[in-house]
Amino acid sequence: MFKIKGDKKAIFLFLFPAAFMMIVFLFYPLVRTFYKSMFYSLNNISPRFIGFGNYIKMFKDPAISKSIINTLIFMLASVFVQVGIGVLLAMLVDMIRAGQNFFKTVYLFPVVVSAAALGLMFNLFYGYDGGLLNSFLAIFGIGKVVWLTEKTSLLMVIIPTVWQYVGFYFVIILTAITKIPTTFYEAAHLEGANAYHRITKITLPLIFGDIKVSIMLAITGTLKVFDFVWIITQGGPFDSSQVLGTYMYDITFQRRLFGYGSSIAVLIVVLGFALTFFTNKFLKSEDITY
Amino acid sequence: MVNNTVFERIQKQITNFKLSKLIIYIVLSVWASTTILPLLWIFNNSFKASNEIINKPFAIAGKFNPVNYLNALTKVDMGRSYMNSFIMSGSVVVLVMLFGGMAAYAISRFEFRGRTIIQGALAIGLLIPGFVTVVPVYEILIKLHLVDTYFALIFPQTAGNLVFATLVLSAYMASLPKELEEAAILDGCNRWQIFSKIIVPMSKPAFATVGIFSFLWSYNDLFSSLVFVSSKKVRPICVLLNEVSSQYGTDYGLQATAVVLTVVPVLIVYLILQRQIVSGLTAGAVKG
């Protein structure tokens, strides 16, 4: 009675606006980036075909290897620190009654605020004169510290990036924990399980799927890192905090090498797909359902 | 006897009190302080002159000193950026909900060839960060003479957010019962009427999620904004922040004020729509 097949005109009209926007501003540009990465093009004027020249250049570019290494360090920090703290906080909040909503509100707050604003805030923490950290040290009579040096800059941009999104993983895990039927815990209680057993034998196995999703998101998310690094260090000093996103922006829009910038963009996509594929494979195991 | 019961109650509370609970609250509060205290510090310092911040960074601002706020409005023209941000992000929200809703309706309610292709394309779309498409999009905008206009941000951001929106909305719509629509068809409703009068009202929670996140991502998107809309007349809030940090790096008071002014609207939206945001985050855990 309800004609659901056919009706091609209606399907087309409903799909067209979204499909048009996505094709013009997302999918066509994605393909075009591959094409553009084959050209030498300064200022995007009269590009010259150089085949894989940009990719060969990439292999020899020390800033690229630095960016990749930094991105990998970012990734490890996100997986272990960010997701780790998120899981820990979720379990702790689940154990208390009073104040649950307060902690939820407060933990999630940095997630919704722009990294640009928070980056500016961290600039004020790291400032040499009157920065929050140095002022704090002064209370204890400790002299001023230069916070953004070649050695420390990467850590100084990882801290805010990791800190900002802890609340996101906290919410995902907490939602998963609250979905576990209470009967499981009641049964365990009858059999004399203590808190440690409850966590390792019930909670952790049952939220493992959500932890995997979180790890996945944390890994792919690091390829999008840009704002904090750009606002706090611009990738410097001497590329010490450079990540792929900031380097791509720098090459393309400040040094205006559009072809080379495109090949870095391709590198980001390839890494993104590879990482998604391998983490999917690596983390694949029997999901426990209930 | 009353005294006795009170005493018993207190005694019971003491025996119920566990050290582990206290430790849990301490740990949770420590993390909470990392998200609250910095913002209070910034807010407090936004009322101070820069030299006051440097000399007495922890002192409570004694009196309301509007100088930083006046500077933010005049020297860096923050009001204009506010307006730009709201025009662009507002348009993105409207377009994403409209186009995303329509596409989601088609995907969730019709069977047609190419549906799996569309779903595959959406899955790929989720993995594409802005860096990847930026150069060709920039070229397209130049060809259309749209660079440094409102559309230069509205179009690419709409396209980017549509991926997430279509996925969330179509999943939600697929879960809706079909009976109402069948009844509506018998009553002589056309497709558009079914969509606007039945599907959209029933999908309100999903639309709210999509709307909120489109707004937040658009308002907070530094990368696209830097590339597409950086000139003074159209630049949004986050581009202005970037400029404040690079040009007024020593004016601590102005920087603190810029942070406060940027964060406040988001904070208000967040506190009002918090429940919706939490459920949206878990519904749409697809986008990091």
Side-chain angles (χ1 to χ4, degrees), chain B residues 85-105:
Chain B
S85 265
F86 285 117
I87 290 175
M88 290 190 276
S89 301
S91 311
V92 169
V93 169
V94 172
L95 290 178
V96 166
M97 294 213 287
L98 178 67
F99 294 171
M102 288 164 64
Y105 175 58

Side-chain angles (χ1 to χ4, degrees), chain A residues 2 4 33 36 98 105 107 109, chain B residues 28 39 109 132 139 185 270:
Chain A
F2 183 51
I4 214 163
T33 295
K36 284 201 69 79
T105 308
Y107 291 171
F109 167 62
Chain B
L28 291 175
L39 282 156
R109 279 297 190 266
V132 177
E139 285 177 336
I185 285 194
Y270 172 63

Side-chain angles (χ1 to χ4, degrees), chain B residues 120-155:
Chain B
L122 289 175
I124 290 172
L126 272 183
L127 279 175
I128 307 174
F131 316 119
V132 177
T133 50
V134 66
V135 171
V137 169
Y138 186 63
E139 285 177 336
I140 293 170
L141 293 171
I142 288 176
K143 275 197 192 117
L144 298 172
H145 299 286
L146 289 178
V147 170
D148 268 334
T149 68
Y150 290 139
F151 293 109
L153 201 63
I154 294 172
F155 288 160

Side-chain angles (χ1 to χ4, degrees), chain A residues 2-5 7 27 32-33 36 44 98 105-109 112 114 120 129 135 163 175 217 223 269, chain B residues 25 28 34-35 38-39 57-58 109 111 121 131-132 139 185 191 220 222 245 252 267 270 274 281-282 285:
Chain A
F2 183 51
K3 231 174 73 182
I4 214 163
K5 289 183 184 171
D7 210 350
F27 293 112
R32 173 115 180 129
T33 295
K36 284 201 69 79
N44 218 16
T105 308
V106 170
Y107 291 171
L108 195 56
F109 167 62
V112 297
S114 68
L120 208 52
D129 286 312
S135 311
W163 165 80
T175 313
L217 289 171
L223 290 173
V269 192
Chain B
Y25 275 102
L28 291 175
T34 71
T35 67
L39 282 156
F58 296 112
R109 279 297 190 266
E111 281 168 34
F131 316 119
V132 177
E139 285 177 336
I185 285 194
R191 294 276 177 219
N220 293 337
L222 176 65
S245 90
Y252 281 24
L267 184 64
Y270 172 63
Q274 197 206 349
L281 270 183
T282 39

